[in-house]
Amino acid sequence: MIDSVVKQYKKVSLWIIAGFMLGFLLAIQITSNTPMLTGLVVCVLYFLTTTLVYAALWKKTAKASPTKLTGFYLTAMAVKFFLGILVVLVYCFIVRAREQVIAFAAMFTIYYLAMVIYDATYFSRVEKKNQISIKK
């Protein structure tokens, strides 16, 4: 069951990341703002990396000690939050153009909110199913 949960999580996460990437590529093409491609690449790489690491760590935690998953969710979200802030700050220091920084921050925020909402809903459903199966 754990393997199928992780596989489904990765699949849907990749679809979400790819969907937003295509939407942002379309927006970049329409506005002819090609310097934002760098920001898009940073966003996609960040969210691909964090998604794959999150899935691997969740799988390891779920197999080793499923009772500690609540602490895992809290810790993982905090780490993702601080890593996200760090990525945005580093991007701001490297790219000094104000319009690019604002556009990147907006793009990153949209990605971040979408992934947080997906993570929360997906794993709350997984935990709800798990609690129901434990009670039976």
Side-chain angles (χ1 to χ4, degrees):
M1 179 188 154
I2 292 173
D3 291 331
S4 64
V5 167
V6 170
K7 183 178 178 182
Q8 181 68 18
Y9 171 74
K10 285 181 184 178
K11 184 173 83 170
V12 176
S13 293
L14 292 176
W15 277 108
I16 291 170
I17 293 168
F20 276 104
M21 180 187 72
L22 291 174
F24 286 129
L25 279 173
L26 179 63
I28 289 169
Q29 180 69 29
I30 290 171
T31 61
S32 299
N33 191 1
T34 53
M36 274 314 301
L37 286 174
T38 306
L40 180 60
V41 169
V42 170
C43 284
V44 170
L45 289 176
Y46 171 80
F47 287 102
L48 281 174
T49 304
T50 57
T51 296
L52 295 176
V53 169
Y54 186 79
L57 291 175
W58 184 88
K59 181 178 179 180
K60 184 178 177 182
T61 305
K63 285 185 176 182
S65 56
T67 57
K68 295 186 179 182
L69 279 174
T70 306
F72 169 79
Y73 294 131
L74 181 63
T75 305
M77 286 298 164
V79 169
K80 280 183 175 182
F81 179 73
F82 288 116
L83 279 176
I85 289 174
L86 184 66
V87 167
V88 171
L89 287 175
V90 167
Y91 188 85
C92 290
F93 286 126
I94 292 173
V95 177
R96 301 265 182 194
R98 182 181 168 99
E99 292 95 20
Q100 284 182 329
V101 168
I102 292 171
F104 173 75
M107 188 174 7
F108 193 89
T109 302
I110 292 168
Y111 258 117
Y112 184 83
L113 289 175
M115 293 308 295
V116 164
I117 291 168
Y118 171 65
D119 286 351
T121 56
Y122 183 79
F123 285 108
S124 67
R125 288 181 183 164
V126 167
E127 290 298 322
K128 185 176 179 182
K129 284 182 185 177
N130 190 27
Q131 292 300 324
I132 291 171
S133 65
I134 288 172
K135 288 180 182 178
K136 287 183 178 180

